Amino acid sequence: MRIVLVTGPGGAGRTTLAAATALAGARRGARALLLTTESSAPETVLGTPLGADAPTPIAPGLHARRIDPGDRFRQEFLAFQERAGAALDLLGAAPLDEDELTELPGSEDFALLHALRAEHASDNWDMVVVDMPSAAETIRLLALPAQVRRYLRRLLPPERQAARALRPVLAQLAGVPMPAQKLYEAAERWETELAAVQRAIDDPGTSVRLVTEAGPVAAANLRTIRAGLALHGRRTDGVVVNRLLPTGSADPFLAALSGSQQTALKALREEFPDVPVHEVPHLGRDPQGVDELDELIDGPTGEIGETGPVDGPRPDPWTVEDRLATDGILVWQVPLPGAERRGLGLVRRGDEIVVTVGRFRRIRTLPSALRRCTVSGAGLRDGVLEIRFTPDPGLWPKSD
């Protein structure tokens, strides 16, 4: 299965291009699904009302589904309320009814991740295209499973479930399940769900596709986004430049606007030398319906649906280079294309290292060899952050 996560700056047309990407896959014979949390825009683009319960047929080989975060929130809350019924009764709490539940902030993120996990586990599709939120929000969303799993391990470490064997006895004496037991049971369920989401995100067939317009600040905006994606190990498989005007117009206004777009397009190609940059023409209108989406993927723009081969497990891009023999150090190399020195931050906390790139942050556990070292410096060279480690004589294994 290929999973293509389509995102970009707001207003660049990512919903339209996500639909066109899914349609292009279906036109090549793939069983394609478009997932979206948007309510009206995808229906306008596809020309078909979408259901939330099951995928809606759009065209031969293409289905689309609208994720309902409110419904997902109500289901999860009611299930939690039922599991915690005994404890709530003990506290004298009155349970909430389904019709008085309204979704809380963040519900959409978890609903989207749950849907992504479910489709990844199914065998129904060859290609799933996800209409993601704006780029900065997408980066935080894709980092969420790993972050929450880390919080759970810190707050409720399984190895510290003291007196676990005594809990059933204590529960019988108290008449209700012990809160600690319920907490750990909930943590186990969350860990299972989040691990499945993480597998979908880390799958070698999952990639991110950026949609942008060819404006004067497009390259600068995408530079920060690309660095944030790289920080979390997300693969960018292409940049789609939307709404390009034809060149050579006799109208001075259109000619100047087209010239500005071509300048921005050149800057984007220079910014992403190792990533395909696809051009999508301006139709003079907002596409509505499958027939008009076909105009975006015909001819030279058909490659917007191409995703490239899946060639086995994806290696960890953070690699350790052994320079002990020459320089007496180990170097942890972190690919950060698009990052700038002024936005970088680096802090070591015990056996972890915290890397900050602009507004984005990632915490990684040090490889075993680096835990026996001290950080002796760092530098950014050609889009790679090199963190230098010097062996600690008190911890480094001594040769006989």
Side-chain angles (χ1 to χ4, degrees):
M1 181 190 291
R2 289 289 289 112
I3 298 177
V4 184
L5 310 174
V6 180
T7 186
R14 64 178 182 274
T15 296
T16 299
L17 269 298
T21 299
L23 178 62
R27 294 296 192 226
R28 292 195 307 275
R31 299 170 299 165
L33 172 69
L34 173 67
L35 281 178
T36 181
T37 57
E38 299 290 337
S39 55
S40 57
E43 296 183 348
T44 301
V45 169
L46 295 169
T48 304
L50 301 183
D53 297 331
T56 302
I58 304 297
L62 175 62
H63 288 70
R65 178 186 159 206
R66 179 177 58 83
I67 302 166
D68 183 355
D71 181 64
R72 171 69 181 168
F73 171 77
R74 286 187 290 273
Q75 291 178 16
E76 288 295 310
F77 188 91
L78 291 173
F80 164 77
Q81 191 170 248
E82 182 177 355
R83 289 193 298 267
L88 293 175
D89 289 342
L90 182 66
L91 297 172
L96 296 171
D97 295 327
E98 181 177 359
D99 57 5
E100 61 181 316
L101 292 176
T102 57
E103 61 185 283
L104 297 176
S107 302
E108 184 173 299
D109 294 345
F110 286 100
L112 178 57
L113 291 175
H114 173 77
L116 178 60
R117 194 258 326 146
E119 300 303 344
H120 178 261
S122 76
D123 192 33
N124 299 328
W125 317 104
D126 304 309
M127 179 182 187
V128 176
V129 180
V130 187
D131 177 20
M132 299 292 288
S134 62
E137 188 176 345
T138 290
I139 295 171
R140 287 189 284 268
L141 177 60
L142 296 178
L144 185 62
Q147 291 173 341
V148 175
R149 293 175 74 191
R150 178 178 178 273
Y151 297 157
L152 288 175
R153 288 192 295 269
R154 289 289 296 273
L155 296 174
L156 295 169
E159 63 273 12
R160 296 183 184 176
Q161 297 184 38
R164 188 169 187 172
L166 295 177
R167 288 205 183 99
V169 177
L170 297 175
Q172 290 180 3
L173 293 175
V176 296
M178 297 301 291
Q181 181 181 355
K182 285 295 183 182
L183 278 175
Y184 279 106
E185 289 174 355
E188 289 174 1
R189 288 193 296 271
W190 295 337
E191 169 63 26
T192 300
E193 175 79 8
L194 291 167
V197 174
Q198 192 71 54
R199 285 193 295 273
I201 294 173
D202 292 339
D203 191 288
T206 300
S207 60
V208 177
R209 188 162 302 179
L210 299 174
V211 176
T212 183
E213 289 189 303
V217 296
N221 285 342
L222 293 191
R223 184 181 304 124
T224 303
I225 292 168
R226 187 186 188 194
L229 289 169
L231 175 66
H232 292 285
R234 307 278 72 88
R235 179 170 67 91
T236 303
D237 72 7
V239 176
V240 183
V241 187
N242 197 18
R243 302 183 184 126
L244 285 172
L245 297 172
T247 58
S249 174
D251 184 283
F253 176 80
L254 292 179
L257 189 56
S258 174
S260 175
Q261 286 188 333
Q262 291 301 310
T263 299
L265 183 60
K266 180 181 177 182
L268 284 169
R269 293 189 185 279
E270 293 173 350
E271 183 66 35
F272 293 86
D274 55 337
V275 175
V277 177
H278 308 301
E279 303 178 27
V280 177
H282 200 309
L283 300 183
R285 62 190 183 282
D286 292 329
Q288 297 185 28
V290 171
D291 292 339
E292 295 190 1
L293 285 177
D294 268 325
E295 296 183 48
L296 298 179
I297 63 177
D298 283 342
T301 61
E303 70 270 15
I304 66 171
E306 297 291 346
T307 57
V310 178
D311 52 3
R314 187 185 306 165
D316 187 350
W318 294 37
T319 58
V320 178
E321 182 182 355
D322 187 345
R323 298 184 191 171
L324 290 173
T326 56
D327 302 320
I329 60 173
L330 297 172
V331 180
W332 206 7
Q333 297 183 327
V334 182
L336 293 177
E340 299 177 344
R341 284 187 176 87
R342 63 181 179 180
L344 282 178
L346 187 65
V347 177
R348 179 173 180 175
R349 295 172 57 89
D351 289 341
E352 295 178 327
I353 197 136
V354 184
V355 182
T356 302
V357 179
R359 72 185 89 172
F360 308 112
R361 174 176 295 176
R362 187 180 185 187
I363 302 174
R364 284 287 303 263
T365 300
L366 294 172
S368 57
L370 300 185
R371 297 175 200 173
R372 303 183 181 96
C373 303
T374 58
V375 177
S376 53
L380 182 67
R381 298 180 182 84
D382 299 324
V384 177
L385 175 63
E386 295 185 344
I387 310 172
R388 299 185 294 275
F389 290 81
T390 301
D392 185 334
L395 299 175
W396 196 255
K398 295 179 174 59
S399 58
D400 295 331

